[in-house]
Amino acid sequence: DLERAWSQLNQAINNANIEVLNADRDAQRFQVAFSGAEEEDEPGFFGRLFGGGDDAEVINFDITVAETEQGISVRAVPSSGQSAPYEQDLLIRTINDNLI
């Protein structure tokens, strides 16, 4: 059901260490900040040498949960309306990978 989906989505977002800017349970909506940069414990040789990976753009997303005829739908849309298909896909996959 929708309440269980909300709870699991909240837990998956927290497990993935995605920054939550706002959560509105009544509206079934999260606003998160996501860069799409994959975290590494320590940068490699070239990363240290050239300082790569530190300039990933953070994009705010609205994540909504809705009940449909087929089940529960989770959508992530950039808050600004800008196009960010790679980050959008990565955000949904990251959340899915962190569902318990």
Coordinates of all heavy atoms in Angstrom, one line a residue:
D1 N 0.8 -1.2 0.0 CA 0.0 0.0 0.0 C 0.9 1.3 0.0 O 2.1 1.2 0.1 CB -1.0 0.0 1.2 CG -0.3 0.2 2.5 OD1 0.9 0.2 2.6 OD2 -1.1 0.3 3.5
L2 N 0.2 2.4 -0.1 CA 0.9 3.7 -0.3 C 1.7 4.0 1.0 O 2.9 4.5 0.9 CB -0.1 4.8 -0.6 CG 0.5 6.0 -1.2 CD1 1.3 5.8 -2.4 CD2 -0.7 7.0 -1.5
E3 N 1.2 3.8 2.2 CA 1.9 4.1 3.4 C 3.2 3.2 3.5 O 4.2 3.7 3.9 CB 1.0 3.9 4.6 CG -0.1 4.9 4.7 CD 0.5 6.3 4.9 OE1 1.4 6.5 5.6 OE2 0.0 7.2 4.2
R4 N 3.1 2.0 3.2 CA 4.3 1.1 3.2 C 5.3 1.5 2.2 O 6.5 1.6 2.5 CB 3.9 -0.3 3.0 CG 5.1 -1.3 3.1 CD 4.7 -2.7 3.0 NE 6.0 -3.5 3.0 CZ 6.1 -4.7 3.3 NH1 5.0 -5.4 3.7 NH2 7.2 -5.3 3.1
A5 N 4.9 1.9 1.0 CA 5.8 2.4 0.0 C 6.5 3.7 0.4 O 7.7 3.8 0.2 CB 5.0 2.7 -1.3
W6 N 5.8 4.6 1.1 CA 6.4 5.8 1.6 C 7.5 5.5 2.6 O 8.6 6.0 2.5 CB 5.4 6.7 2.2 CG 6.0 7.8 3.0 CD1 6.3 7.9 4.3 CD2 6.4 9.1 2.5 NE1 6.8 9.1 4.6 CE2 6.9 9.9 3.5 CE3 6.3 9.7 1.2 CZ2 7.4 11.1 3.3 CZ3 6.8 11.0 1.0 CH2 7.3 11.7 2.1
S7 N 7.2 4.6 3.5 CA 8.2 4.2 4.5 C 9.4 3.5 3.9 O 10.5 3.8 4.3 CB 7.5 3.2 5.5 OG 8.4 2.8 6.5
Q8 N 9.2 2.6 3.0 CA 10.3 2.0 2.3 C 11.2 2.9 1.5 O 12.4 2.8 1.5 CB 9.9 0.8 1.5 CG 9.4 -0.4 2.3 CD 9.0 -1.6 1.5 OE1 8.4 -1.4 0.4 NE2 9.3 -2.7 2.0
L9 N 10.5 3.8 0.8 CA 11.2 4.9 0.0 C 12.1 5.7 0.9 O 13.2 6.0 0.7 CB 10.2 5.7 -0.8 CG 10.8 6.8 -1.7 CD1 11.8 6.2 -2.7 CD2 9.7 7.6 -2.4
N10 N 11.5 6.2 2.1 CA 12.2 7.0 3.0 C 13.4 6.2 3.5 O 14.5 6.8 3.6 CB 11.3 7.3 4.2 CG 11.9 8.3 5.2 OD1 12.7 9.2 4.8 ND2 11.6 8.1 6.5
Q11 N 13.3 5.0 3.8 CA 14.4 4.2 4.3 C 15.5 4.0 3.2 O 16.7 4.1 3.5 CB 13.9 2.8 4.8 CG 15.0 2.0 5.5 CD 14.4 0.7 6.0 OE1 13.3 0.2 5.7 NE2 15.1 0.1 6.9
A12 N 15.1 3.8 2.0 CA 16.0 3.6 0.9 C 16.8 4.9 0.7 O 18.0 4.9 0.4 CB 15.3 3.2 -0.4
I13 N 16.1 6.0 0.7 CA 16.8 7.3 0.5 C 17.8 7.5 1.6 O 19.0 7.9 1.4 CB 15.8 8.5 0.5 CG1 15.0 8.4 -0.8 CG2 16.5 9.8 0.6 CD1 13.8 9.3 -0.9
N14 N 17.5 7.2 2.9 CA 18.4 7.3 4.0 C 19.6 6.4 3.9 O 20.7 6.7 4.1 CB 17.7 7.1 5.3 CG 16.8 8.3 5.7 OD1 17.1 9.5 5.3 ND2 15.7 8.0 6.3
N15 N 19.3 5.1 3.5 CA 20.3 4.1 3.3 C 21.3 4.5 2.2 O 22.5 4.2 2.3 CB 19.7 2.7 2.9 CG 19.0 2.1 4.1 OD1 19.1 2.5 5.2 ND2 18.2 1.1 3.7
A16 N 20.9 5.2 1.2 CA 21.7 5.7 0.1 C 22.5 7.0 0.4 O 23.2 7.5 -0.4 CB 20.9 5.9 -1.2
N17 N 22.2 7.5 1.6 CA 22.8 8.8 2.0 C 22.5 9.9 1.1 O 23.4 10.8 0.8 CB 24.3 8.6 2.2 CG 24.7 7.7 3.4 OD1 24.0 7.8 4.4 ND2 25.7 6.9 3.2
I18 N 21.3 9.9 0.6 CA 20.9 11.0 -0.3 C 20.3 12.1 0.6 O 19.6 11.9 1.5 CB 19.8 10.5 -1.3 CG1 20.4 9.5 -2.2 CG2 19.2 11.7 -2.1 CD1 19.3 8.7 -3.0
E19 N 20.8 13.4 0.3 CA 20.4 14.5 1.2 C 18.9 14.9 0.9 O 18.5 15.2 -0.2 CB 21.2 15.7 0.8 CG 20.9 16.9 1.7 CD 21.7 18.2 1.3 OE1 22.6 18.1 0.5 OE2 21.4 19.2 2.0
V20 N 18.1 14.8 2.0 CA 16.7 15.1 1.9 C 16.6 16.6 2.3 O 17.0 17.0 3.4 CB 15.9 14.3 2.9 CG1 14.4 14.7 2.9 CG2 16.0 12.8 2.5
L21 N 16.0 17.4 1.4 CA 15.8 18.8 1.6 C 14.4 19.1 2.3 O 14.3 20.0 3.1 CB 15.9 19.6 0.3 CG 17.2 19.4 -0.4 CD1 17.1 20.1 -1.8 CD2 18.4 20.0 0.4
N22 N 13.5 18.2 1.9 CA 12.1 18.4 2.4 C 11.4 17.1 2.2 O 11.6 16.4 1.2 CB 11.4 19.5 1.7 CG 10.0 19.8 2.3 OD1 9.8 19.5 3.5 ND2 9.2 20.5 1.6
A23 N 10.6 16.7 3.2 CA 9.7 15.5 3.1 C 8.3 15.9 3.5 O 8.1 16.4 4.6 CB 10.3 14.4 3.9
D24 N 7.4 15.6 2.6 CA 5.9 15.9 2.9 C 5.1 14.6 2.7 O 4.8 14.3 1.6 CB 5.4 17.0 2.0 CG 4.0 17.5 2.3 OD1 3.3 16.8 3.0 OD2 3.7 18.5 1.7
R25 N 4.9 14.0 3.9 CA 4.2 12.7 3.8 C 2.8 12.8 3.3 O 2.3 12.0 2.6 CB 4.2 12.1 5.2 CG 3.7 10.7 5.2 CD 3.7 10.0 6.6 NE 3.5 8.6 6.5 CZ 4.3 7.7 6.9 NH1 5.4 8.1 7.5 NH2 4.0 6.4 6.8
D26 N 2.1 13.9 3.6 CA 0.7 14.2 3.1 C 0.7 14.3 1.6 O -0.3 13.8 1.0 CB 0.1 15.4 3.8 CG -0.1 15.2 5.3 OD1 -0.3 14.1 5.7 OD2 -0.1 16.2 6.0
A27 N 1.7 14.9 1.0 CA 1.7 15.1 -0.4 C 2.5 13.9 -1.1 O 2.6 13.9 -2.3 CB 2.4 16.4 -0.8
Q28 N 3.0 13.0 -0.3 CA 3.8 11.9 -0.8 C 4.9 12.3 -1.7 O 5.1 11.9 -2.8 CB 2.8 10.9 -1.5 CG 1.7 10.3 -0.7 CD 2.2 9.4 0.4 OE1 3.0 8.5 0.1 NE2 1.7 9.6 1.6
R29 N 5.7 13.3 -1.1 CA 6.8 13.9 -1.9 C 8.0 14.2 -1.1 O 7.9 14.6 0.0 CB 6.3 15.2 -2.5 CG 7.2 15.9 -3.4 CD 6.7 17.2 -4.0 NE 6.7 18.3 -3.0 CZ 7.8 19.1 -2.7 NH1 8.9 18.8 -3.3 NH2 7.7 20.0 -1.8
F30 N 9.1 13.8 -1.7 CA 10.4 14.2 -1.1 C 11.1 15.2 -2.0 O 10.9 15.1 -3.3 CB 11.4 13.0 -1.1 CG 11.0 11.9 0.0 CD1 10.2 10.9 -0.4 CD2 11.5 12.0 1.2 CE1 9.9 9.9 0.5 CE2 11.2 11.0 2.2 CZ 10.4 10.0 1.8
Q31 N 11.9 16.1 -1.5 CA 12.7 16.9 -2.3 C 14.1 16.6 -1.8 O 14.4 16.6 -0.6 CB 12.5 18.4 -2.2 CG 13.3 19.2 -3.1 CD 13.0 20.7 -3.0 OE1 12.7 21.2 -2.0 NE2 13.1 21.4 -4.2
V32 N 15.0 16.2 -2.8 CA 16.3 15.7 -2.4 C 17.4 16.5 -3.3 O 17.0 17.0 -4.3 CB 16.5 14.2 -2.6 CG1 15.5 13.4 -1.7 CG2 16.4 13.8 -4.1
A33 N 18.6 16.5 -2.8 CA 19.7 17.0 -3.6 C 20.6 15.8 -4.0 O 21.0 15.0 -3.1 CB 20.6 18.0 -2.7
F34 N 20.9 15.6 -5.3 CA 21.6 14.5 -5.8 C 22.5 14.9 -6.9 O 22.2 15.7 -7.8 CB 20.6 13.5 -6.3 CG 21.1 12.2 -6.8 CD1 21.6 11.2 -5.8 CD2 21.2 11.9 -8.1 CE1 22.1 10.0 -6.2 CE2 21.8 10.6 -8.5 CZ 22.2 9.7 -7.6
S35 N 23.8 14.4 -6.8 CA 24.8 14.8 -7.8 C 25.0 13.7 -8.8 O 25.5 14.0 -9.9 CB 26.1 15.1 -7.1 OG 26.7 14.0 -6.5
G36 N 24.7 12.5 -8.5 CA 25.0 11.4 -9.4 C 26.4 10.9 -9.3 O 26.8 10.0 -9.9
A37 N 27.3 11.6 -8.5 CA 28.7 11.2 -8.4 C 28.7 10.0 -7.5 O 28.2 10.0 -6.4 CB 29.5 12.4 -7.8
E38 N 29.4 9.0 -8.0 CA 29.6 7.8 -7.1 C 30.7 8.1 -6.2 O 31.8 8.5 -6.5 CB 29.9 6.6 -8.0 CG 28.7 6.3 -8.9 CD 28.9 5.0 -9.6 OE1 29.6 4.1 -9.1 OE2 28.2 4.8 -10.7
E39 N 30.5 7.8 -4.9 CA 31.5 8.1 -3.9 C 32.5 7.0 -3.8 O 32.2 5.8 -4.0 CB 30.8 8.2 -2.5 CG 29.9 9.4 -2.4 CD 29.3 9.5 -1.0 OE1 29.8 9.0 -0.1 OE2 28.2 10.2 -0.9
E40 N 33.7 7.4 -3.6 CA 34.8 6.4 -3.4 C 35.4 6.7 -2.1 O 35.4 7.8 -1.6 CB 35.9 6.6 -4.5 CG 35.5 6.4 -5.9 CD 36.6 6.6 -6.9 OE1 37.7 7.0 -6.5 OE2 36.3 6.5 -8.1
D41 N 36.0 5.6 -1.4 CA 36.6 5.8 -0.1 C 37.8 6.7 -0.3 O 38.0 7.6 0.5 CB 37.0 4.5 0.5 CG 35.8 3.6 0.8 OD1 34.7 4.2 1.1 OD2 35.9 2.4 0.9
E42 N 38.7 6.5 -1.2 CA 39.8 7.3 -1.5 C 40.0 7.5 -3.0 O 39.8 6.5 -3.7 CB 41.1 6.7 -0.9 CG 41.1 6.6 0.6 CD 42.4 6.0 1.1 OE1 43.4 6.1 0.5 OE2 42.3 5.3 2.2
P43 N 40.3 8.6 -3.4 CA 40.5 8.8 -4.9 C 41.8 8.1 -5.3 O 42.7 7.9 -4.6 CB 40.7 10.3 -5.0 CG 41.0 10.8 -3.7 CD 40.5 9.9 -2.7
G44 N 41.8 7.6 -6.6 CA 42.9 7.0 -7.2 C 44.0 8.0 -7.5 O 43.9 9.2 -7.2
F45 N 45.1 7.5 -8.0 CA 46.3 8.3 -8.3 C 45.9 9.5 -9.2 O 46.2 10.6 -8.8 CB 47.4 7.5 -9.0 CG 48.5 8.3 -9.5 CD1 49.4 8.8 -8.5 CD2 48.7 8.6 -10.8 CE1 50.5 9.6 -9.0 CE2 49.7 9.4 -11.2 CZ 50.7 9.9 -10.3
F46 N 45.3 9.3 -10.3 CA 44.9 10.4 -11.2 C 43.9 11.3 -10.6 O 43.9 12.5 -10.8 CB 44.4 9.8 -12.6 CG 45.6 9.2 -13.4 CD1 45.6 7.8 -13.6 CD2 46.5 10.0 -13.9 CE1 46.6 7.3 -14.3 CE2 47.6 9.5 -14.6 CZ 47.6 8.1 -14.8
G47 N 43.0 10.8 -9.8 CA 42.0 11.6 -9.1 C 42.7 12.6 -8.1 O 42.4 13.7 -8.1
R48 N 43.7 12.1 -7.4 CA 44.5 12.9 -6.5 C 45.3 13.9 -7.3 O 45.4 15.1 -6.9 CB 45.4 12.1 -5.6 CG 44.6 11.3 -4.5 CD 45.5 10.7 -3.5 NE 46.6 10.0 -4.1 CZ 46.6 8.7 -4.3 NH1 45.5 8.0 -4.1 NH2 47.6 8.0 -4.8
L49 N 45.9 13.5 -8.4 CA 46.8 14.3 -9.2 C 46.0 15.5 -9.8 O 46.4 16.6 -9.8 CB 47.5 13.5 -10.2 CG 48.5 14.2 -11.1 CD1 49.7 14.7 -10.3 CD2 49.0 13.2 -12.2
F50 N 44.8 15.2 -10.4 CA 44.1 16.2 -11.2 C 42.9 16.7 -10.4 O 42.2 17.6 -10.9 CB 43.6 15.6 -12.5 CG 44.8 15.3 -13.4 CD1 45.1 13.9 -13.7 CD2 45.6 16.3 -13.9 CE1 46.2 13.6 -14.5 CE2 46.7 15.9 -14.8 CZ 46.9 14.6 -15.0
G51 N 42.6 16.2 -9.2 CA 41.5 16.7 -8.4 C 40.2 16.3 -9.0 O 39.2 17.0 -8.8
G52 N 40.1 15.3 -9.8 CA 38.8 14.9 -10.5 C 37.7 14.5 -9.6 O 38.0 14.0 -8.5
G53 N 36.5 14.6 -10.0 CA 35.3 14.1 -9.3 C 34.8 15.1 -8.2 O 33.7 14.8 -7.7
D54 N 35.4 16.2 -7.9 CA 35.0 17.1 -6.9 C 34.0 18.1 -7.4 O 33.4 18.9 -6.7 CB 36.1 17.8 -6.3 CG 37.0 16.9 -5.5 OD1 36.5 15.8 -5.1 OD2 38.2 17.2 -5.3
D55 N 33.8 18.2 -8.8 CA 33.0 19.2 -9.3 C 31.6 18.8 -9.9 O 31.1 19.4 -10.8 CB 33.8 20.0 -10.4 CG 34.2 19.0 -11.5 OD1 34.1 17.8 -11.4 OD2 34.7 19.5 -12.6
A56 N 31.1 17.7 -9.3 CA 29.8 17.1 -9.8 C 28.7 18.1 -9.4 O 28.7 18.6 -8.3 CB 29.6 15.8 -9.1
E57 N 27.9 18.4 -10.4 CA 26.8 19.3 -10.1 C 25.7 18.7 -9.3 O 25.2 17.5 -9.6 CB 26.2 19.8 -11.5 CG 25.0 20.7 -11.4 CD 24.4 21.1 -12.7 OE1 24.8 20.5 -13.7 OE2 23.4 21.8 -12.7
V58 N 25.2 19.3 -8.3 CA 24.1 18.8 -7.5 C 22.8 19.3 -8.1 O 22.7 20.5 -8.3 CB 24.3 19.3 -6.0 CG1 23.1 18.9 -5.2 CG2 25.6 18.8 -5.4
I59 N 21.9 18.4 -8.2 CA 20.6 18.7 -8.8 C 19.5 18.4 -7.8 O 19.5 17.3 -7.2 CB 20.3 17.9 -10.1 CG1 21.4 18.3 -11.1 CG2 18.9 18.2 -10.7 CD1 21.4 17.4 -12.4
N60 N 18.6 19.3 -7.6 CA 17.4 19.0 -6.7 C 16.4 18.3 -7.5 O 16.0 18.7 -8.6 CB 16.9 20.3 -6.1 CG 17.8 21.0 -5.2 OD1 18.8 20.4 -4.7 ND2 17.6 22.2 -4.8
F61 N 15.9 17.2 -6.9 CA 14.8 16.4 -7.5 C 13.6 16.4 -6.6 O 13.7 16.3 -5.4 CB 15.3 15.0 -7.7 CG 16.2 14.8 -8.8 CD1 17.6 14.9 -8.7 CD2 15.7 14.5 -10.1 CE1 18.5 14.7 -9.7 CE2 16.6 14.3 -11.2 CZ 17.9 14.4 -11.0
D62 N 12.4 16.3 -7.2 CA 11.2 16.0 -6.5 C 10.9 14.5 -6.8 O 10.8 14.1 -7.9 CB 10.0 16.9 -7.0 CG 10.1 18.3 -6.6 OD1 10.6 18.6 -5.5 OD2 9.8 19.2 -7.5
I63 N 10.8 13.8 -5.7 CA 10.4 12.4 -5.8 C 9.0 12.2 -5.3 O 8.7 12.6 -4.1 CB 11.4 11.5 -5.0 CG1 12.8 11.7 -5.4 CG2 11.0 10.0 -5.0 CD1 13.9 11.0 -4.6
T64 N 8.2 11.7 -6.1 CA 6.8 11.5 -5.7 C 6.4 10.0 -5.7 O 6.9 9.2 -6.5 CB 5.8 12.3 -6.6 OG1 6.0 11.8 -8.0 CG2 6.0 13.8 -6.5
V65 N 5.5 9.7 -4.9 CA 4.9 8.3 -4.7 C 3.5 8.4 -5.0 O 2.8 9.2 -4.4 CB 5.2 7.7 -3.3 CG1 4.7 6.3 -3.2 CG2 6.6 7.9 -2.9
A66 N 3.0 7.5 -5.9 CA 1.5 7.5 -6.2 C 1.1 6.1 -6.4 O 1.8 5.2 -6.9 CB 1.3 8.4 -7.5
E67 N -0.2 5.9 -6.1 CA -0.8 4.6 -6.3 C -1.5 4.7 -7.7 O -2.2 5.6 -8.1 CB -1.9 4.4 -5.2 CG -2.3 2.9 -5.1 CD -3.0 2.7 -3.8 OE1 -3.4 3.6 -3.1 OE2 -3.2 1.5 -3.5
T68 N -1.2 3.6 -8.5 CA -1.7 3.5 -9.9 C -2.5 2.2 -10.0 O -2.5 1.4 -9.0 CB -0.6 3.6 -10.9 OG1 0.2 2.4 -10.8 CG2 0.2 4.8 -10.8
E69 N -3.1 2.0 -11.1 CA -3.8 0.7 -11.3 C -2.9 -0.5 -11.3 O -3.2 -1.6 -10.9 CB -4.6 0.8 -12.7 CG -5.7 1.7 -12.7 CD -6.4 1.7 -14.0 OE1 -6.1 0.9 -14.9 OE2 -7.3 2.6 -14.2
Q70 N -1.6 -0.2 -11.7 CA -0.6 -1.3 -11.8 C 0.1 -1.5 -10.5 O 0.8 -2.5 -10.3 CB 0.4 -1.0 -12.9 CG -0.1 -1.0 -14.3 CD -0.8 0.3 -14.7 OE1 -0.6 1.3 -14.1 NE2 -1.7 0.2 -15.7
G71 N 0.0 -0.6 -9.5 CA 0.7 -0.7 -8.3 C 1.1 0.7 -7.8 O 0.4 1.7 -7.9
I72 N 2.4 0.7 -7.3 CA 2.9 2.0 -6.7 C 3.9 2.5 -7.7 O 4.8 1.8 -8.3 CB 3.6 1.7 -5.4 CG1 2.7 1.2 -4.4 CG2 4.3 3.0 -4.9 CD1 1.5 2.1 -4.0
S73 N 3.8 3.8 -8.0 CA 4.7 4.5 -8.9 C 5.6 5.5 -8.2 O 5.1 6.3 -7.3 CB 3.9 5.3 -10.0 OG 4.7 6.1 -10.8
V74 N 6.9 5.4 -8.4 CA 7.9 6.4 -7.9 C 8.5 7.1 -9.0 O 9.1 6.5 -9.9 CB 8.9 5.7 -7.0 CG1 10.0 6.6 -6.5 CG2 8.3 4.9 -5.9
R75 N 8.4 8.5 -9.0 CA 9.0 9.3 -10.1 C 9.9 10.3 -9.5 O 9.7 10.8 -8.4 CB 7.9 10.1 -10.8 CG 6.9 9.2 -11.5 CD 5.9 9.9 -12.4 NE 6.7 10.7 -13.4 CZ 6.3 11.9 -13.9 NH1 5.3 12.5 -13.4 NH2 7.1 12.5 -14.8
A76 N 11.0 10.6 -10.2 CA 12.0 11.6 -9.8 C 12.1 12.6 -10.9 O 12.3 12.2 -12.1 CB 13.3 11.0 -9.5
V77 N 11.8 13.9 -10.6 CA 11.8 14.9 -11.7 C 12.7 16.1 -11.1 O 12.5 16.5 -10.0 CB 10.4 15.4 -11.9 CG1 10.4 16.5 -12.9 CG2 9.5 14.2 -12.4
P78 N 13.6 16.6 -12.0 CA 14.4 17.7 -11.5 C 13.4 18.9 -11.1 O 12.5 19.2 -11.8 CB 15.2 18.1 -12.7 CG 15.3 16.9 -13.5 CD 14.0 16.2 -13.3
S79 N 13.7 19.5 -9.9 CA 12.8 20.5 -9.4 C 12.8 21.8 -10.3 O 11.8 22.4 -10.4 CB 13.3 20.9 -8.0 OG 13.3 19.9 -7.1
S80 N 13.9 22.0 -10.9 CA 14.0 23.2 -11.8 C 13.4 23.0 -13.2 O 13.4 24.0 -13.9 CB 15.5 23.6 -11.9 OG 16.2 22.6 -12.7
G81 N 13.1 21.8 -13.5 CA 12.5 21.6 -14.8 C 13.6 21.3 -15.9 O 13.3 21.0 -17.0
Q82 N 14.9 21.4 -15.4 CA 16.0 21.2 -16.4 C 16.0 19.7 -16.8 O 15.5 18.9 -16.0 CB 17.3 21.6 -15.8 CG 17.8 20.7 -14.7 CD 19.0 21.2 -13.9 OE1 18.9 22.3 -13.3 NE2 20.1 20.5 -14.0
S83 N 16.6 19.4 -17.9 CA 16.8 18.0 -18.3 C 18.0 17.4 -17.7 O 19.1 18.0 -17.8 CB 16.9 18.0 -19.8 OG 17.1 16.6 -20.3
A84 N 17.9 16.3 -17.0 CA 19.0 15.6 -16.4 C 18.7 14.1 -16.4 O 18.6 13.4 -15.4 CB 19.2 16.0 -15.0
P85 N 18.6 13.5 -17.6 CA 18.2 12.1 -17.7 C 19.1 11.1 -17.1 O 18.7 10.1 -16.5 CB 18.0 11.9 -19.2 CG 18.8 12.9 -19.9 CD 18.8 14.1 -18.9
Y86 N 20.4 11.4 -17.2 CA 21.4 10.4 -16.6 C 21.2 10.4 -15.1 O 21.1 9.4 -14.4 CB 22.8 10.8 -17.0 CG 23.9 10.0 -16.2 CD1 24.1 8.7 -16.6 CD2 24.5 10.6 -15.1 CE1 25.0 7.9 -15.9 CE2 25.5 9.8 -14.4 CZ 25.7 8.5 -14.8 OH 26.6 7.8 -14.1
E87 N 21.2 11.6 -14.5 CA 21.1 11.7 -13.0 C 19.8 11.2 -12.5 O 19.7 10.6 -11.5 CB 21.3 13.2 -12.6 CG 22.8 13.7 -12.8 CD 23.1 14.2 -14.2 OE1 22.2 14.1 -15.0 OE2 24.2 14.7 -14.4
Q88 N 18.7 11.5 -13.3 CA 17.4 11.0 -13.0 C 17.3 9.5 -12.9 O 16.8 8.9 -11.9 CB 16.4 11.6 -14.0 CG 15.0 11.4 -13.7 CD 14.1 12.2 -14.7 OE1 14.6 12.7 -15.7 NE2 12.8 12.2 -14.5
D89 N 17.9 8.9 -13.9 CA 18.0 7.4 -14.0 C 18.8 6.9 -12.8 O 18.5 5.9 -12.2 CB 18.5 6.9 -15.3 CG 18.5 5.4 -15.5 OD1 17.4 4.8 -15.3 OD2 19.6 4.9 -15.7
L90 N 20.0 7.5 -12.6 CA 20.9 7.0 -11.5 C 20.2 7.2 -10.2 O 20.4 6.3 -9.3 CB 22.2 7.8 -11.6 CG 23.3 7.4 -10.6 CD1 23.6 5.9 -10.8 CD2 24.5 8.2 -10.8
L91 N 19.5 8.3 -10.0 CA 18.8 8.4 -8.7 C 17.8 7.3 -8.4 O 17.8 6.7 -7.4 CB 18.1 9.8 -8.6 CG 17.2 10.1 -7.4 CD1 18.0 10.0 -6.1 CD2 16.6 11.5 -7.6
I92 N 17.0 7.0 -9.4 CA 16.0 5.9 -9.3 C 16.7 4.6 -9.0 O 16.3 3.8 -8.2 CB 15.0 5.9 -10.5 CG1 14.1 7.1 -10.5 CG2 14.2 4.6 -10.5 CD1 13.1 7.2 -9.3
R93 N 17.8 4.3 -9.8 CA 18.5 3.1 -9.6 C 19.1 3.0 -8.2 O 19.1 1.9 -7.6 CB 19.5 2.9 -10.7 CG 18.9 2.4 -12.0 CD 19.9 2.1 -13.1 NE 20.6 3.2 -13.6 CZ 21.9 3.4 -13.6 NH1 22.7 2.4 -13.2 NH2 22.5 4.5 -14.0
T94 N 19.7 4.1 -7.7 CA 20.3 4.2 -6.4 C 19.2 3.9 -5.3 O 19.5 3.1 -4.4 CB 20.9 5.5 -6.2 OG1 21.9 5.8 -7.2 CG2 21.6 5.6 -4.8
I95 N 18.1 4.5 -5.5 CA 17.0 4.2 -4.5 C 16.6 2.8 -4.6 O 16.5 2.1 -3.5 CB 15.8 5.1 -4.8 CG1 16.2 6.6 -4.4 CG2 14.6 4.7 -4.0 CD1 15.1 7.6 -4.9
N96 N 16.4 2.2 -5.8 CA 16.0 0.8 -5.9 C 17.0 -0.1 -5.3 O 16.7 -1.1 -4.7 CB 15.8 0.5 -7.4 CG 15.2 -0.8 -7.6 OD1 14.2 -1.2 -7.1 ND2 15.9 -1.7 -8.5
D97 N 18.3 0.2 -5.5 CA 19.4 -0.7 -5.0 C 19.4 -0.7 -3.5 O 20.0 -1.5 -2.8 CB 20.7 -0.2 -5.5 CG 20.9 -0.6 -7.0 OD1 20.1 -1.3 -7.6 OD2 21.9 0.0 -7.6
N98 N 18.8 0.4 -2.8 CA 18.9 0.5 -1.4 C 17.5 0.1 -0.7 O 17.4 0.3 0.5 CB 19.3 1.9 -1.0 CG 20.7 2.1 -1.2 OD1 21.5 1.7 -0.3 ND2 21.2 2.7 -2.3
L99 N 16.6 -0.4 -1.5 CA 15.3 -0.9 -0.9 C 15.6 -2.2 -0.1 O 16.4 -3.0 -0.6 CB 14.3 -1.2 -2.0 CG 13.6 0.0 -2.6 CD1 12.8 -0.4 -3.8 CD2 12.8 0.8 -1.6
I100 N 15.0 -2.3 1.0 CA 15.2 -3.5 1.8 C 14.0 -4.4 1.8 O 12.9 -4.0 1.7 CB 15.5 -3.2 3.3 CG1 16.9 -2.4 3.3 CG2 15.5 -4.4 4.2 CD1 17.3 -2.0 4.7

